[in-house]
Amino acid sequence: MTSKIVFIKGDGIGPEVIDPALSVIEALHPGIELIEAYIGSEAVTRAGGPFPGETIDLIDEAGVCLLGAVLSSIDDPDPREDPGDMKAVPPAQRSPLLRLRRELDLYANIRPVRRPGSVQGSEVIDLVIVRENTEGLYSGIEREVQGGVVTERRITEEASRRICRTAFEVARSRISPAGAGVVCVHKANVLLSDRLFLDIFRQTAAEEADIASTSLYVDNAAMQLVLDPARFDVVLAPNMYGDILSDLAAGLIGGLGAVPSANVGADHALFEPVHGAAPDIAGNGIANPTAAMLSAAMLLDHIGIDGGDAIRRAVDEVYTNGNTTPDADGTASTASFTDQVLTALKGDN
Ligand code: NAD
Ligand code: IPM
Ligand code: MN
């Protein structure tokens, strides 16, 4: 298995949370090769463009990448007004992060939501959002028409089938005392594309009958998540619903600072916090590095080297007995929180 990890710090709090995550990896595996790469604004400065081929080559070779956060294209010129060859390039095609997910075909976005330190039990929020990561409203197929813009929502059988399969695999890999299984969220009462997604889900569910499964309209699912989040185990969603429900679920456990993710394809995987660049707190030294550390734990699990459980235990320990960052109701700085996790890791050995 690989012992090389590519990392991209990115923008805003990206570097502030990736440095702690790297320090945790290095504490566990001193000899591991960590290779820095760039996308987004940093890549424009260093490599002359937001999406250097070298970055893809490095990830291609290592197979895995840990990423902080990158600002997305809202600050770019409006593609409808942009002169030159960027004209009419939709934001979803421009965003370096979305390009990375698409070009590496990282089709499964896996987002475990649990407040660190929470003790197993029937009332505890411990769910995973499994989000389709390559199509839907993120297909990047948009065009101007008379008096407006059309965005295509492309949903294919093939992409739906592989993400449905992943949702059941994730459910099978978890110990779910409630046996809640997979809940597919959709809006098949309105969208033909979601009817296809739901059909494929039902076919898959019939083949994976040992795992409980059901479906909910996404609007109802949002309410049920708020009212009774503990009843959920795996939430399977097309791309945009999965994005929105991820932040909603993060809110249920105290915010985005503790929600990690994996973007997994057949040959590569990218690990990143669910949160973004958080410009409102960037530079203040108070960003919560938990999501980045737990993403690093998922990365170690993925490449088959030990340490993932140790990181999760250490973070749990600090959430239970230590001082967290302000977003998690503590008063610790990023640096002090990181020191506590490193100390807990040492004590764990
Ligand atoms: P955001 O996730 O950056 O922040 C949302 C809120 O959560 C903010 O109040 C922020 O302070 C808080 N927060 C997020 N991470 C935190 C952490 N680790 N510790 C403490 N508080 C934290 O979302 P946004 O403000 O809507 O987006 C900001 C920028 O990031 C945008 O350009 C957006 O496109 C981009 N973004 C990037 C990614 C990514 O790279 N994966 C993900 C989401 C958003
Ligand atoms: C996420 C982010 C991205 C998304 C943005 C930054 C393009 O919100 O990873 O959840 O919408 O997928
Ligand atoms: Mn998001």
Side-chain angles (χ1 to χ4, degrees), residues 70-72 95 97-98 101 109 111 131 133 138 239-240 242-243 246-247 261 263 272-276:
V70 277
L71 290 167
S72 60
S95 157
L97 174 63
L98 297 181
R101 291 177 183 161
N109 193 345
R111 303 179 143 185
R131 168 192 182 194
N133 217 20
Y138 285 63
N239 208 333
M240 179 73 92
D243 178 47
S246 299
D247 281 28
S261 80
N263 302 262
E272 51 167 348
V274 168
H275 66 70

Side-chain angles (χ1 to χ4, degrees), residues 130-181:
V130 175
R131 168 192 182 194
E132 202 291 320
N133 217 20
T134 57
E135 55 176 30
L137 278 169
Y138 285 63
S139 299
I141 312 166
E142 299 195 292
R143 60 185 177 278
E144 276 192 85
V145 295
Q146 188 70 34
V149 174
V150 170
T151 299
E152 281 186 26
R153 184 175 192 269
R154 183 179 158 83
I155 301 250
T156 64
E157 281 184 30
E158 193 191 347
S160 303
R161 211 173 289 287
R162 63 186 182 174
I163 197 66
C164 287
R165 194 69 69 197
T166 301
F168 283 92
E169 277 165 18
V170 171
R172 192 168 284 112
S173 73
R174 287 162 55 81
I175 306 148
S176 167

Side-chain angles (χ1 to χ4, degrees), residues 9-92:
K9 294 186 180 182
D11 307 307
I13 62 167
E16 295 174 52
V17 298
I18 287 301
D19 284 335
L22 295 177
S23 69
V24 162
I25 295 175
E26 279 173 320
L28 287 160
H29 297 289
I32 205 156
E33 194 178 344
L34 301 169
I35 305 158
E36 183 156 23
Y38 307 92
I39 59 169
S41 57
E42 186 79 4
V44 173
T45 315
R46 289 172 183 270
F51 201 76
E54 195 200 349
T55 295
I56 294 290
D57 292 345
L58 286 170
I59 299 174
D60 203 23
E61 201 198 321
V64 288
C65 177
L66 180 68
L67 179 143
V70 277
L71 290 167
S72 60
S73 53
I74 187 85
D75 300 323
D76 289 348
D78 186 326
R80 289 166 298 164
E81 292 158 10
D82 202 13
D85 61 4
M86 286 301 277
K87 189 164 170 27
V89 176

Side-chain angles (χ1 to χ4, degrees), residues 28-349:
L28 287 160
H29 297 289
I32 205 156
E33 194 178 344
L34 301 169
I35 305 158
E36 183 156 23
Y38 307 92
I39 59 169
S41 57
E42 186 79 4
V44 173
T45 315
R46 289 172 183 270
F51 201 76
E54 195 200 349
T55 295
I56 294 290
D57 292 345
L58 286 170
I59 299 174
D60 203 23
E61 201 198 321
V64 288
C65 177
L66 180 68
L67 179 143
V70 277
L71 290 167
S72 60
S73 53
I74 187 85
D75 300 323
D76 289 348
D78 186 326
R80 289 166 298 164
E81 292 158 10
D82 202 13
D85 61 4
M86 286 301 277
K87 189 164 170 27
V89 176
Q93 283 185 33
R94 278 198 197 181
S95 157
L97 174 63
L98 297 181
R99 258 184 92 175
L100 204 51
R101 291 177 183 161
R102 203 171 29 243
E103 294 203 9
L104 297 174
D105 198 26
L106 306 175
Y107 64 88
N109 193 345
I110 297 169
R111 303 179 143 185
V113 181
R114 168 185 172 268
R115 187 174 171 92
S118 51
V119 181
Q120 274 293 334
S122 57
E123 293 310 308
V124 165
I125 301 169
D126 184 0
L127 59 89
V128 183
I129 293 182
V130 175
R131 168 192 182 194
E132 202 291 320
N133 217 20
T134 57
E135 55 176 30
L137 278 169
Y138 285 63
S139 299
I141 312 166
E142 299 195 292
R143 60 185 177 278
E144 276 192 85
V145 295
Q146 188 70 34
V149 174
V150 170
T151 299
E152 281 186 26
R153 184 175 192 269
R154 183 179 158 83
I155 301 250
T156 64
E157 281 184 30
E158 193 191 347
S160 303
R161 211 173 289 287
R162 63 186 182 174
I163 197 66
C164 287
R165 194 69 69 197
T166 301
F168 283 92
E169 277 165 18
V170 171
R172 192 168 284 112
S173 73
R174 287 162 55 81
I175 306 148
S176 167
V182 184
V183 176
C184 173
V185 304
H186 63 89
K187 197 76 185 175
N189 51 347
V190 175
L191 297 169
L192 199 51
S193 45
D194 270 359
R195 188 169 289 204
L196 172 79
F197 192 81
L198 182 60
D199 278 350
I200 304 277
F201 170 70
R202 286 181 171 154
Q203 286 168 22
T204 313
E207 290 160 15
E208 310 263 6
D210 57 312
I211 305 281
S213 64
T214 187
S215 61
L216 284 174
Y217 293 116
V218 63
D219 44 354
N220 183 21
M223 181 189 72
Q224 302 291 347
L225 273 165
V226 171
L227 285 182
D228 191 9
R231 71 178 257 212
F232 289 89
D233 183 16
V234 175
V235 177
L236 164 68
N239 208 333
M240 179 73 92
Y241 306 152
D243 178 47
I244 296 167
L245 293 182
S246 299
D247 281 28
L248 183 144
L252 298 171
I253 60 136
L256 283 160
V259 184
S261 80
N263 302 262
V264 184
D267 302 316
H268 310 91
L270 169 72
F271 299 82
E272 51 167 348
V274 168
H275 66 70
D280 54 341
I281 59 162
N284 296 347
I286 53 161
N288 188 347
T290 299
M293 290 175 175
L294 297 178
S295 299
M298 293 177 84
L299 187 155
L300 296 181
D301 292 348
H302 181 87
I303 60 179
I305 61 176
D306 65 350
D309 285 339
I311 295 173
R312 284 181 284 266
R313 278 196 302 271
V315 169
D316 275 2
E317 162 72 21
V318 178
Y319 264 71
T320 307
N321 297 319
N323 188 8
T324 57
T325 47
D327 60 301
D329 304 326
T331 55
S333 64
T334 309
S336 141
F337 179 86
T338 304
D339 285 346
Q340 295 173 70
V341 173
L342 290 169
T343 303
L345 263 184
K346 274 196 204 118
D348 194 54
N349 284 335

